[in-house]
Amino acid sequence: MRHLVQQNLQLFASGAELAVGAVAEQLEIGQPNASQQPALVRRGGLLTSRRYGKHVRYRVNVAAVHASLGELQTYLRTCCPPGADAGSSGTLS
């Protein structure tokens, strides 16, 4: 399931707006399952949706993604500041 969600997010990484049929085709899964995947991510706030007649199209919620990444960076700086681990050579930017 986690792998499928990750693949689903990668579909939207380019900023494209996709219908469920396109998600199903690209992930090679059935349309009912393809419909559930973006809906779950939308409930998490990372995708937005718009209805066109009977079709729903999904797109990345850029502001929410940036906010989530900012929160993650803040958390990591608090819990694991650069230089706290003597063996660590990486830094967060």
Side-chain angles (χ1 to χ4, degrees):
M1 174 79 152
R2 178 180 286 167
H3 182 66
L4 192 55
V5 171
Q6 186 177 17
Q7 284 180 313
N8 191 357
L9 288 173
Q10 288 174 341
L11 288 178
F12 295 97
S14 70
E17 186 174 78
L18 299 173
V20 170
V23 172
E25 183 178 313
Q26 292 187 32
L27 294 179
E28 299 178 347
I29 58 176
Q31 201 153 353
N33 195 18
S35 176
Q36 291 174 5
Q37 295 303 313
L40 287 171
V41 179
R42 182 185 56 78
R43 281 195 294 267
L46 299 179
L47 291 179
T48 60
S49 63
R50 292 196 294 173
R51 183 170 290 281
Y52 292 97
K54 293 183 179 183
H55 302 281
V56 178
R57 298 181 67 85
Y58 294 92
R59 175 184 296 265
V60 169
N61 182 345
V62 175
V65 170
H66 284 283
S68 293
L69 289 174
E71 290 172 14
L72 177 60
Q73 286 179 331
T74 299
Y75 171 76
L76 290 173
R77 284 187 189 108
T78 302
C79 83
C80 318
D85 179 10
S88 174
S89 61
T91 60
L92 293 175
S93 3

